[in-house]
Amino acid sequence: MRMVSLLGAALVVALLAFLAPAVADDDETVAGRIVGAALVDPGAYDRLAYLTDRIGPRLSGSDNLDAAIRWAAAELRADGLDDVHTEPVRVPHWVRGEERGAILAPAAHPLVLTTLGGSVATPPGGITADVVAVPGFEELERLGDAVRGKMVLFDRPIVRNGGAEHGYGSAVELRVHGASHAAKQGAVAVLVRSLGTASYRLPHTGVMSYDDGAPKVPGVAITAEDADLVERLLATGATVRVHLEVGARTLPDADSANVVADLRGRERPDEIVVIGCHLDSWDVGTGAIDDGAGCAIVMQAVATLKRLGLRPRRTIRAVLYTNEENGTRGGKGYAEAHAGEIERHVAAIESDSGAGTPLGFGVTAGDGGVEAVRALAGRLLGIGAADVRSGGGGTDISPLRKAGVPSLSLRQDTTYYFDWHHTDADTLDKVDPEDLARNVAAMAWMAWSLAERDAPLPRPAAGEGDGE
């Protein structure tokens, strides 16, 4: 493990921190204790290594996700946290099955592909059809009846740090809703250029959904290289013919659970700061950056505060959500189970952006909330995590945000995140232990600070930030 440089830089800080009294006199001392302890403790990386290497991918409905839930609850109990328990949630159970495809004409080429989560299967023997390629829904609509009986390739490249115009968000709707758009015009299947930012011939999976009343046709993601190949062949005027076989199945909903653990508050235990992540992952790779890292950060953050003997004014609650990837049932289930106490949730922080260097926080709150968080994050300047911006939250805490709970996202360097996102390459080697430890420090300090403030953050208007 690569903790040597951090050990040298932080050892003195950490030793002084552990010698400090359990209830410190000022924020600077507490910040030093929290950050110092987080930087020298390899616990987050050790947890992530077990989750990824010993348990592996954790798709909703799988035995692996069940094992991960049991493991996480046992870890949090061993940390000595309060009221560690699981909260039942019913989740979708989709199974990938066999998948293969090939270009048959004008020349034979195998396709490297992955079925999109939620897709239906092809008929026995598969589907063979000519391909039409479009960059988006407008161009598809202009083709009209020319789509009937064809496979549609949605081909919109994304680039690193591409922002609203060329980033992940600019193309995700093609993956999610492309099959229904194409099927309404008579398409028999959909190919989607993978939503990835590197050309490693890696197909990127992800969730898709079918519109009510629309025909259901199979959807797969193909690699950037194969999408380029199809486009080049079409540009010559050739007819590109593809064969596709998909064996996906949707089974009855399965039992699952959120994992919940509290560090109970000393003065206002009924007021809650949530720190959350999602424990499920896709069935490709081992879910290291999405979102095993987030779970390691959340678990280690609350464990660090516990081990330092720091008891916050308000309760800090760690929630490891189930089923973020293909149903968001965990986030919805938590909000429903705790509907009677949502008004006592004073903040929620989500970590679901990998394990890159922490940069700061995004914030959705009422007037003055961003400035308040910026002041708290000033203590994280030494680890580079003091940049606070407007607009924060995440998929799992979005039901809380919609109910008016101030919501934050742990912002990280995601330059290479979409190289590996939703692929077989989402594995532990993509995680730098030093960066992971810095993320723990940032999460632990912000959770502590929000739980300690005299007044909670101002609440946003209900529903504010829903598009984030």
Side-chain angles (χ1 to χ4, degrees), residues 389-407:
R389 302 183 181 184
S390 177
T395 299
D396 287 313
I397 64 173
S398 63
L400 299 179
R401 185 185 66 229
K402 291 175 183 178
V405 178
S407 298

Side-chain angles (χ1 to χ4, degrees), residues 5 30-31 53 80 142 197 201 235 274 279 295 312 336 341 364 389 412 417 427 435 444:
S5 60
V30 178
D53 293 350
R142 284 199 290 268
T197 50
R201 214 174 185 202
V274 164
L279 193 53
C295 290
E336 291 169 2
E341 61 178 13
T364 298
R389 302 183 181 184
Q412 295 151 316
Y417 179 73
T427 48
D435 281 338

Side-chain angles (χ1 to χ4, degrees), residues 1 44-58 64 67-68 71 279 281 284-289 291-293 296 424-431 433 436:
M1 291 174 34
Y45 191 83
D46 291 343
R47 293 181 202 261
L48 183 56
Y50 190 94
L51 179 62
T52 57
D53 293 350
R54 301 295 187 91
I55 297 176
R58 305 169 298 281
N64 280 11
W71 165 81
L279 193 53
S281 76
V284 293
T286 56
I289 62 171
D291 184 32
D424 283 322
D426 181 2
T427 48
L428 184 64
D429 53 288
K430 309 308 183 303
V431 176
L436 192 64

Side-chain angles (χ1 to χ4, degrees), residues 56-60 278-284 286-287 290-291 325:
R58 305 169 298 281
L59 187 60
S60 291
H278 69 87
L279 193 53
D280 66 305
S281 76
W282 282 106
D283 54 336
V284 293
T286 56
D290 186 19
D291 184 32
E325 293 292 2

Side-chain angles (χ1 to χ4, degrees), residues 325-344:
E325 293 292 2
N326 65 333
T328 66
R329 302 271 185 90
K332 295 171 184 175
Y334 178 85
E336 291 169 2
H338 297 270
E341 61 178 13
I342 284 182
E343 64 181 17
R344 299 196 299 275

